[in-house]
């Protein structure tokens, strides 16, 4: 291979890695409905396609969009897009477009589906889920490294995230908050983020976040970082700064 072709290939590889790292082109989680009653008709698919295009156009401006479309209840999809609160409008737009494309490819005949990336979450259903806490869709991401004092670390993690949950629920129009806390051991800091979909009330946002935080001692005890991401809210903590803006 010539040096120029090798250089071009390396540039393409570097660009692909940049897309993966910055835009999160691999989904963290996806789920399709699988029952006979949840098989989409051609009319539903048409309405869903138009709806996805519409909310993807609206989402970048505010980081969130929802809507429904259809002639009757049988063929009416309800959809929602949430971009992470620290994501730029351009990255929100890119993520929403990728999410819509990939979920339709992965779940072509499903009336209900959800897909999540590092930068955004998209879900749709034939049931009106707006304003309801999603108890069905949830996944966990764990940092593989362990802390030296898990009891104290867990206490401080819950303290920080609980503060951020209150801030996101009652002091933010975006239902989003991020912050940090000094840890007693050395110069280490703890960083956290809480975020809800904006169809929830402040009270339900707090309830959703508190539920996710309450799971951390069980699913991520002693881990340096973890994410609990659901269809209505997410909590994230790490010992390095991860907020993008």
């Amino acid at each position: 291979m010539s040096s120029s072709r090798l250089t071009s290939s390396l540039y393409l590889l570097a660009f692909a890695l940049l897309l993966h790292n910055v835009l999160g082109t691999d989904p963290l989680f996806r789920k399709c409905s699988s029952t006979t009653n949840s098989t989409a008709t051609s009319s539903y698919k048409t309405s869903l396609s138009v709806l996805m295009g519409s909310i993807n156009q609206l989402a970048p401006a505010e980081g969130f969009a929802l809507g429904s479309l259809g002639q009757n209840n049988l063929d009416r999809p309800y959809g929602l897009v949430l971009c992470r609160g620290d994501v730029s409008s351009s990255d929100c737009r890119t993520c929403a477009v990728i999410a819509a494309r990939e979920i339709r490819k992965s779940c072509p005949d499903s009336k209900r589906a959800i897909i999540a990336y590092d930068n955004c979450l998209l879900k749709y259903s034939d049931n009106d889920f707006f304003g309801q806490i999603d108890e069905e869709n949830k996944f966990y991401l764990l940092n593989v490294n362990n802390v030296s004092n898990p009891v104290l670390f867990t206490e401080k993690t819950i303290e920080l995230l609980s503060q951020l949950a209150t801030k996101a629920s009652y002091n933010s129009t975006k239902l989003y908050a991020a912050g940090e806390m000094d840890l007693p051991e050395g110069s280490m800091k703890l960083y956290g983020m809480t975020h809800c979909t904006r169809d929830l009330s402040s009270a339900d946002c707090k309830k959703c976040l508190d539920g996710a935080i309450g799971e951390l001692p069980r699913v991520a005890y002693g881990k340096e970082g973890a994410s609990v991401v659901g269809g209505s809210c997410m909590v994230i903590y790490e010992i390095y700064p991860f907020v993008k803006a």
Side-chain angles (χ1 to χ4, degrees):
M1 180 182 290
S2 68
S3 60
S4 62
R5 291 180 64 186
L6 176 59
T7 301
S8 297
S9 297
L10 290 174
Y11 277 131
L12 287 173
L13 176 59
F15 181 67
L17 289 172
L18 178 66
L19 282 176
H20 172 77
N21 291 331
V22 175
L23 301 180
T25 52
D26 286 342
L28 304 174
F29 168 82
R30 62 185 147 202
K31 180 181 177 183
C32 314
S33 58
S34 57
T35 63
T36 303
N37 290 337
S38 60
T39 301
T41 63
S42 59
S43 178
Y44 185 90
K45 291 179 182 179
T46 299
S47 295
L48 181 60
S49 180
V50 176
L51 176 62
M52 288 295 100
S54 176
I55 61 177
N56 283 349
Q57 288 292 320
L58 295 172
E62 297 292 336
F64 176 76
L66 56 73
S68 64
L69 182 71
Q71 295 290 335
N72 56 66
N73 291 335
L74 293 177
D75 293 318
R76 180 187 297 274
Y78 299 82
L80 175 154
V81 174
L82 174 70
C83 290
R84 227 171 72 169
D86 59 332
V87 170
S88 68
S89 294
S90 59
D91 283 352
C92 176
R93 178 181 296 105
T94 299
C95 188
V97 169
I98 291 173
R101 182 185 68 214
E102 290 302 313
I103 198 65
R104 299 299 303 282
K105 186 189 303 181
S106 301
C107 312
D109 298 315
S110 296
K111 278 190 173 183
R112 304 165 198 163
I114 183 171
I115 190 167
Y117 289 81
D118 187 41
N119 285 349
C120 70
L121 176 147
L122 180 152
K123 68 175 182 176
Y124 61 83
S125 174
D126 58 327
N127 292 323
D128 182 358
F129 59 82
F130 299 155
Q132 303 173 37
I133 298 175
D134 186 344
E135 304 284 3
E136 181 180 350
N137 299 299
K138 191 176 292 183
F139 69 98
Y140 311 90
L141 297 171
L142 306 179
N143 188 315
V144 297
N145 298 316
N146 295 314
V147 296
S148 58
N149 188 340
V151 175
L152 179 61
F153 186 81
T154 299
E155 177 185 317
K156 291 300 180 183
T157 298
I158 292 176
E159 180 182 344
L160 173 61
L161 291 176
S162 295
Q163 292 172 0
L164 294 177
T166 299
K167 185 177 179 180
S169 301
Y170 297 107
N171 298 310
S172 170
T173 57
K174 291 186 175 182
L175 298 185
Y176 162 82
E180 61 189 63
M181 172 185 285
D182 291 321
L183 294 176
E185 297 179 356
S187 59
M188 186 181 295
K189 282 191 173 185
L190 180 65
Y191 301 85
M193 175 189 292
T194 56
H195 200 186
C196 295
T197 58
R198 273 177 260 167
D199 59 315
L200 295 185
S201 66
S202 292
D204 280 342
C205 176
K206 183 65 163 55
K207 181 179 179 181
C208 185
L209 292 171
D210 284 346
I213 294 167
E215 293 192 64
L216 289 174
R218 175 178 61 84
V219 301
Y221 184 74
K223 296 299 181 182
E224 287 185 354
S227 302
V228 180
V229 181
S232 293
C233 70
M234 68 179 73
V235 298
I236 305 171
Y237 77 89
E238 292 287 354
I239 59 169
Y240 61 84
F242 61 88
V243 174
K244 300 179 183 183

